Amino acid sequence: MPNALIPELTGRRLTVDVALKQPNLIRNQIAKLADDQLLLPKFFHSLGAPVTGGGLLYSVIQASDFYSTSIEKRSPGNEYKIVEGVDPEPKLAVVEDWGGKFQITDEQISRNDVSYLDQQTTQLSNTIARKLDVAAMGAIADATIEAVTGHDWSDLVLVGPETQLTPSGSRPTADLSAAQLAADLEELGVTHDLLVVHPNEAHSLRVAYGDGLDAMLKSAGVTLYSNPRITAGTVWALAAGQVGTVGFEAPLTVEVYDDRATRSKWVQAYAVPAFAVDKPYAAKKINLTA
């Protein structure tokens, strides 16, 4: 199946001797474990080509960049007016080298200590996922993305006496509609189909809507994804994977090298991405009020 770090994945468990002789097996395992946690592909899509020269050159597209200067009605015998387009602002996304390594001894190899290798692989995958997501969200934070003021989701009342119900204009559906309204007014054809939240907000939605949550999300035209690396009290309405582009100078790579001084081997994994937020209009940031 497609993966944010490598194209294909197979397998779950690793055998020590075979895995160390074929580092791609470890790479596949790390990618499989990390892919379930990655926030990155919710905001970014793949460049589809290697990054060269140490950075990714891109243009920041704003809503105003989709229109030229005004045109005029032509009279018979006259020429059309010369129009001028807007040159998008060029930027450079510099690559960032993230990785780590762990040691495995000859004794662990000869004893086929699969549990140790599996444990270390899991820990390394968690670390890589966290670092890549932090870097990706750092790029999002540096971009200019329109913010929408939302409401408090922590104390919603949707069942009970009418006088105690949360007004419709103060519910999450109103905030989602406001984000989509902001996108519609830009006239760029953006549809927010993904709602990215902190687990606190996901919990609030589950408590408030109960078994009606899926119906609410479907009505709003979004799917829900929660991740602890999202700031609590902040909700992102996205066109999934369209906010930016991620390119890799080096994709997820695993190397195994010998260390005879300690009678062991080292397994190191790294990725060298560059994050370009080239379509900030594909996201709306909803700031929830307390």
Side-chain angles (χ1 to χ4, degrees):
M1 60 180 293
N3 181 272
L5 301 177
I6 61 172
E8 298 291 335
L9 297 173
T10 55
R12 169 64 182 90
R13 297 285 296 178
L14 298 173
T15 58
V16 176
D17 188 47
V18 173
L20 295 178
K21 291 178 180 178
Q22 301 181 46
N24 278 352
L25 294 177
I26 302 176
R27 183 200 67 163
N28 290 357
Q29 180 72 349
I30 290 175
K32 180 178 181 179
L33 294 173
D35 196 51
D36 293 336
Q37 308 172 53
L38 279 176
L39 181 61
L40 183 159
K42 309 304 179 184
F43 288 82
F44 295 84
H45 64 274
S46 176
L47 175 64
V51 173
T52 58
L56 175 60
L57 185 64
Y58 67 102
S59 295
V60 178
I61 305 297
Q62 302 291 344
S64 58
D65 296 334
F66 284 82
Y67 297 90
S68 65
T69 54
S70 180
I71 62 175
E72 295 178 353
K73 182 172 66 176
R74 172 184 171 275
S75 299
N78 292 331
E79 296 180 350
Y80 289 109
K81 178 184 176 180
I82 297 175
V83 298
E84 297 179 358
V86 178
D87 292 330
E89 178 188 357
K91 289 191 175 184
L92 179 67
V94 179
V95 297
E96 303 174 356
D97 193 341
W98 298 100
K101 64 180 182 179
F102 63 87
Q103 187 179 30
I104 184 165
T105 66
D106 285 2
E107 290 79 8
Q108 289 170 315
I109 296 171
S110 64
R111 296 164 188 169
N112 196 32
D113 193 347
V114 175
S115 295
Y116 174 80
L117 181 59
D118 201 45
Q119 179 188 66
Q120 293 297 308
T121 300
T122 300
Q123 292 173 349
L124 184 55
S125 69
N126 291 339
T127 303
I128 290 175
R130 182 173 66 245
K131 290 297 185 181
L132 290 180
D133 279 349
V134 168
M137 293 309 296
I140 293 293
D142 291 339
T144 302
I145 295 177
E146 184 174 353
V148 175
T149 300
H151 298 84
D152 185 6
W153 291 9
S154 64
D155 194 23
L156 297 168
V157 179
L158 305 181
V159 178
E162 185 175 350
T163 56
Q164 297 179 14
L165 298 180
T166 301
S168 60
S170 300
R171 298 182 182 184
T173 48
D175 297 339
L176 298 181
S177 181
Q180 185 58 54
L181 173 61
D184 292 343
L185 292 176
E186 291 175 330
E187 300 182 86
L188 300 177
V190 171
T191 298
H192 296 140
D193 55 8
L194 178 63
L195 187 64
V196 179
V197 302
H198 185 274
N200 286 352
E201 277 64 56
H203 172 70
S204 295
L205 290 175
R206 289 192 295 267
V207 170
Y209 288 93
D211 57 8
L213 178 58
D214 288 343
M216 184 278 281
L217 295 172
K218 183 178 180 180
S219 175
V222 298
T223 56
L224 180 66
Y225 174 80
S226 68
N227 188 293
R229 285 182 277 279
I230 294 293
T231 302
T234 298
V235 171
W236 292 92
L238 310 174
Q242 298 303 309
V243 184
T245 303
V246 57
F248 288 89
E249 184 176 69
L252 179 63
T253 303
V254 173
E255 298 171 341
V256 178
Y257 61 91
D258 206 17
D259 183 359
R260 286 302 86 202
T262 59
R263 292 187 59 214
S264 64
K265 296 183 186 295
W266 288 91
V267 179
Q268 68 178 15
Y270 58 89
V272 187
F275 301 98
V277 184
D278 50 2
K279 295 181 180 178
Y281 60 86
K284 295 295 179 288
K285 181 180 181 180
I286 305 174
N287 295 317
L288 306 184
T289 56

